[in-house]
Amino acid sequence: MKDSLVLLGRVPAHPDSRCWFLAWNPAGTLLASCGGDRRIRIWGTEGDSWICKSVLSEGHQRTVRKVAWSPCGNYLASASFDATTCIWKKNQDDFECVTTLEGHENEVKSVAWAPSGNLLATCSRDKSVWVWEVDEEDEYECVSVLNSHTQDVKHVVWHPSQELLASASYDDTVKLYREEEDDWVCCATLEGHESTVWSLAFDPSGQRLASCSDDRTVRIWRQYLPGNEQGEVHYLSCRGGMQRLLTQWKCICTLSGFHSRTIYDIACLTGALATACGDDAIRVFQEDPNSDPQQPTFSLTAHLHQAHSQDVNCVAWNPKEPGLLASCSDDGEVAFWKYQRPEGL
Amino acid sequence: MAGSQDIFDAIVMADERFHGEGYREGYEEGSSLGVMEGRQHGTLHGAKIGSEIGCYQGFAFAWKCLLHSCTTEKDSRKMKVLESLIGMIQKFPYDDPTYDKLHEDLDKIRGKFKQFCSLLNVQPDFKISAEGSGLSF
């Protein structure tokens, strides 16, 4: 099992600090990392090694917690504990901060671009999720402030093809949001985790949502649309007697007993998930080939102990090169791995 | 015969009777103290919420006048959000503390207010205190 995840290299991305998050650009050629040293670094390959191509250092006054590339790959958004979100425009190897989004009352924990590239979401310790709209002139406007969570919101992520937003919180829930009649509303709350939900990832098809938690489990949720084949029908009767069909999300799988500490991050490929754990390990799970899509089962196909010398904060699959995985840790390092699907699966 | 039974009853059951009387007196006293405390608590909390929403309403009405002459496209979103905020504030049930969506609606008002401030690029700093305005030098 050890051979299925092989180390390709390590870089001291944020020395004497924590590396909090990683994001591959849509082309898969660059990796952005951010950390407690308030800097963002952009990494690219030169031959066989990874080198730092740019350092974005004047953007934030405090830790940069997350970074996210726009779908076109020309912009990078960074979320910081200084309560702001910076938007950087890429000009070859240079990045220029073109806008700073303010409004959150305290630490911004996450930022994510919608697949259309016109919307951005941020979330914060102030318990709110903000949705921003960007126009052709790079002007950002706040479209909605959502106060649905009752505690710190840790992560936001967009559905790969629908304008559907998901958020994870210290209040143990995952919430989903969509635009209804010109306003954004919370359209579903996923309950089940017994502690903070740290991260979320949609699978590439968008049919499933994976969540990971301080309760040391991974949960997979599936969307059941109105008129679905399982015969699950859900109605809501509103004032005025009108009935609306709701989509419902169900937990179809729980992976427990595999992680010995908090799971901080999860990354999905079709049929495979990688997890970043507080026990310094990286794990990869593969969906069993004959499992029922309504009740899938997963097997642990890679378990790398001591992937880092401290908590692993993030794992990210390269969007173009199959099996290429990047990870980062409290030890300040970024590591690159090659995942080989084990024989017989 | 019946008379002597009553006398003995009175003595034997005295303990329980006093216990019961004491309980009833205590219960009544506790209930009325509870109602007073509850009323004070409600007044305080109600005042806080009322004060907060009142601030938002004043702010919204002032900006409605200020933006009255603006008709650019960018301002159309501001006006829409402003009208939505004013609408939500006016629909808020001030006389029904048992309204089940009270806190949900209050959170929606807060969210709309924050969005409006973001569009205006204004950071208001309301000091809502029971002691009146706090000036410090």
Side-chain angles (χ1 to χ4, degrees):
Chain A
M1 222 201 276
K2 245 164 89 173
D3 293 328
S4 45
L5 198 64
V6 168
L7 178 69
L8 299 174
R10 277 185 207 277
V11 286
H14 297 269
D16 300 324
S17 190
R18 288 182 224 264
C19 182
W20 276 117
F21 204 70
L22 299 171
W24 290 101
N25 68 342
T29 54
L30 298 173
L31 182 72
S33 70
C34 62
D37 60 359
R38 310 185 316 269
R39 284 167 176 71
I40 298 162
R41 287 191 170 81
I42 312 293
W43 305 87
T45 42
E46 205 155 272
D48 273 342
S49 46
W50 288 86
I51 57 141
C52 179
K53 303 197 113 188
S54 323
V55 183
L56 282 55
S57 48
E58 298 303 311
H60 291 291
Q61 255 86 65
R62 288 184 62 193
T63 293
V64 185
R65 185 62 178 85
K66 295 237 164 79
V67 279
W69 292 91
S70 64
C72 62
N74 296 325
Y75 296 89
L76 186 70
S78 58
S80 168
F81 283 0
D82 67 8
T84 71
T85 304
C86 276
I87 310 291
W88 306 82
K89 188 164 182 172
K90 182 178 189 290
N91 190 354
Q92 314 216 296
D93 279 347
D94 276 319
F95 285 79
E96 187 200 342
C97 178
V98 294
T99 313
T100 302
L101 304 178
E102 295 179 337
H104 279 297
E105 290 171 29
N106 44 47
E107 293 89 341
V108 188
K109 297 294 179 96
S110 187
V111 61
W113 296 85
S116 63
N118 294 333
L119 295 174
L120 190 74
T122 58
C123 67
S124 163
R125 184 166 68 80
D126 68 9
K127 307 174 199 166
S128 66
V129 170
W130 289 47
V131 182
W132 307 80
E133 197 177 76
V134 53
D135 65 17
E136 311 80 39
E137 284 135 42
D138 285 351
E139 299 270 325
Y140 288 78
E141 258 190 359
C142 175
V143 159
S144 190
V145 173
L146 297 149
N147 288 321
S148 308
H149 279 295
T150 56
Q151 297 287 354
D152 187 355
V153 191
K154 300 290 190 187
H155 197 73
V156 277
V157 73
W158 290 91
H159 188 279
S161 51
Q162 296 169 33
E163 243 156 40
L164 178 68
L165 179 66
S167 65
S169 167
Y170 181 63
D171 69 9
D172 308 351
T173 68
V174 171
K175 283 181 187 278
L176 296 158
Y177 312 87
R178 53 165 36 106
E179 197 172 12
E180 260 170 41
E181 289 168 12
D182 255 5
D183 224 344
W184 283 81
V185 295
C186 173
C187 59
T189 300
L190 309 185
E191 288 169 331
H193 279 297
E194 289 163 19
S195 187
T196 304
V197 188
W198 278 98
S199 190
L200 296 168
F202 279 99
D203 82 324
S205 72
Q207 283 188 324
R208 291 178 183 171
L209 177 63
S211 60
C212 65
S213 164
D214 179 58
D215 69 5
R216 302 180 239 141
T217 69
V218 166
R219 280 174 190 257
I220 317 278
W221 311 83
R222 195 194 146 110
Q223 186 179 27
Y224 288 94
L225 298 163
N228 61 77
E229 61 276 20
Q230 282 62 45
E232 308 234 359
V233 180
H234 303 275
Y235 291 90
L236 174 73
S237 64
C238 315
R239 266 174 269 183
M242 273 165 36
Q243 285 194 317
R244 249 171 50 227
L245 283 172
L246 280 182
T247 64
Q248 192 69 307
W249 288 79
K250 248 176 63 173
C251 179
I252 57 172
C253 177
T254 302
L255 300 175
S256 57
F258 293 101
H259 299 82
S260 62
R261 291 259 154 85
T262 305
I263 312 169
Y264 290 113
D265 196 25
I266 186 159
C268 289
L269 276 185
T270 309
L273 335 142
T275 60
C277 188
D279 62 7
D280 313 348
I282 294 172
R283 293 168 179 77
V284 181
F285 295 84
Q286 200 96 40
E287 188 173 347
D288 297 329
N290 298 317
S291 75
D292 175 7
Q294 312 304 330
Q295 284 192 298
T297 57
F298 287 78
S299 301
L300 180 66
T301 52
H303 181 174
L304 207 85
H305 299 266
Q306 291 303 106
H308 287 274
S309 56
Q310 290 182 54
D311 289 1
V312 189
N313 292 323
C314 178
V315 276
W317 293 106
N318 185 296
K320 296 292 177 201
E321 198 179 318
L324 176 59
L325 182 73
S327 65
C328 71
S329 162
D330 275 356
D331 65 13
E333 290 193 337
V334 169
F336 297 91
W337 312 88
K338 182 78 186 163
Y339 172 67
Q340 211 78 32
R341 206 176 147 140
E343 294 301 305
L345 271 182
Chain B
M1 249 324 225
S4 59
Q5 282 284 50
D6 284 336
I7 293 168
F8 281 121
D9 267 347
I11 295 166
V12 163
M13 302 300 285
D15 193 40
E16 219 172 290
R17 206 176 59 241
F18 291 138
H19 203 264
E21 272 171 33
Y23 179 84
R24 273 189 305 278
E25 276 177 34
Y27 190 91
E28 273 158 31
E29 174 95 8
S31 295
S32 70
L33 281 177
V35 165
M36 284 198 298
E37 192 181 323
R39 175 166 265 136
Q40 272 178 341
H41 190 84
T43 309
L44 200 65
H45 268 273
K48 274 193 194 143
I49 293 176
S51 184
E52 186 184 347
I53 300 187
C55 281
Y56 298 155
Q57 189 172 42
F59 185 87
F61 283 151
W63 277 98
K64 188 165 176 177
C65 293
L66 291 169
L67 292 177
H68 188 65
S69 48
C70 296
T71 46
T72 68
E73 233 211 82
K74 282 204 76 115
D75 292 324
S76 73
R77 171 168 267 151
K78 283 181 200 158
M79 285 313 291
K80 211 159 139 229
V81 172
L82 181 55
E83 291 299 340
S84 175
L85 177 62
I86 292 174
M88 285 161 97
I89 291 171
Q90 288 174 337
K91 257 176 47 196
F92 193 77
Y94 299 100
D95 45 14
D96 183 12
T98 61
Y99 173 52
D100 59 351
K101 289 196 174 169
L102 192 110
H103 285 283
E104 198 179 303
D105 284 3
L106 186 54
D107 277 338
K108 287 199 176 125
I109 290 173
R110 286 172 177 147
K112 224 7 116 172
F113 173 72
K114 290 213 136 198
Q115 185 199 352
F116 185 55
C117 289
S118 174
L119 293 175
L120 289 178
N121 210 359
V122 159
Q123 291 308 322
D125 185 21
F126 295 144
K127 284 190 176 38
I128 301 163
S129 67
E131 295 82 32
S133 76
L135 285 175
S136 68
F137 299 92

